[in-house]
Amino acid sequence: MNPDRIAAAYQPYLLSLFRFVTGLSLFQFGVAKLFKFPPVPMFEAVTPFSLFGAAGMFELVLGGMLMLGLLTRSAAFVLSGEMACAYFIEHFPKNFFPLLNGGTLAIVLCFACLYLAAAGAGPLSLDAVLRAKPSPEPDMRGFEQARR
């Protein structure tokens, strides 16, 4: 069998897996910032109403929505912007080069979310469930005529 055909058959499911892992990556940062679990020295002084706390709320809520595949395009678009802001506020001022300023992950997550905003959730998502057409109601015309 042609490897391209096999890859094409699994592509939608890999999109769903990519969405889930991207959401989980962001969700863990939200949990660490807001709930201090696991304890990360960098996040120990984060308060809910600080800039890091606001970022944590975005990551917690919207990362969770990405994991579920709920309103994926909107959540991913907002998270892409949040990651771009994180890079330019926290990392870029330290150094021009992402490898030296520690901003590589922020860049990768920014573009992963931008891709998900364009590509959507994939078939294994709440978006796909909500988008599914309801089963058509049975045609009762013949039944009504037969009953008479």
Side-chain angles (χ1 to χ4, degrees):
M1 185 160 215
N2 184 348
D4 289 339
R5 293 184 80 187
I6 294 171
Y10 287 105
Q11 186 265 336
Y13 301 101
L14 290 174
L15 173 62
S16 293
L17 181 62
F18 179 71
R19 172 195 38 82
F20 180 82
V21 170
T22 302
L24 180 61
S25 297
L26 289 156
F27 184 80
Q28 73 171 345
F29 278 98
V31 170
K33 288 174 185 171
L34 298 175
F35 300 113
K36 312 296 186 236
F37 180 81
V40 178
M42 184 170 81
F43 300 143
E44 66 186 17
V46 173
T47 61
F49 296 106
S50 66
L51 188 59
F52 271 82
M57 288 183 209
F58 277 107
E59 292 156 359
L60 183 76
V61 174
L62 299 179
M65 289 171 65
L66 277 189
M67 287 192 306
L68 296 171
L70 179 63
L71 300 173
T72 299
R73 291 179 192 267
S74 300
F77 185 74
V78 171
L79 284 168
S80 177
E82 190 243 341
M83 287 291 101
C85 289
Y87 178 77
F88 285 109
I89 291 169
E90 184 63 24
H91 301 284
F92 185 74
K94 294 177 184 174
N95 195 302
F96 176 78
F97 299 102
L99 188 60
L100 298 176
N101 68 24
T104 303
L105 182 59
I107 292 171
V108 169
L109 287 172
C110 173
F111 283 94
C113 288
L114 190 60
Y115 173 73
L116 289 170
L124 304 175
S125 65
L126 288 179
D127 286 346
V129 170
L130 295 172
R131 187 176 54 245
K133 296 178 182 173
S135 59
E137 292 186 26
D139 186 4
M140 300 301 282
R141 289 176 288 178
F143 179 74
E144 292 294 328
Q145 289 173 357
R147 243 179 63 190
R148 289 184 199 167

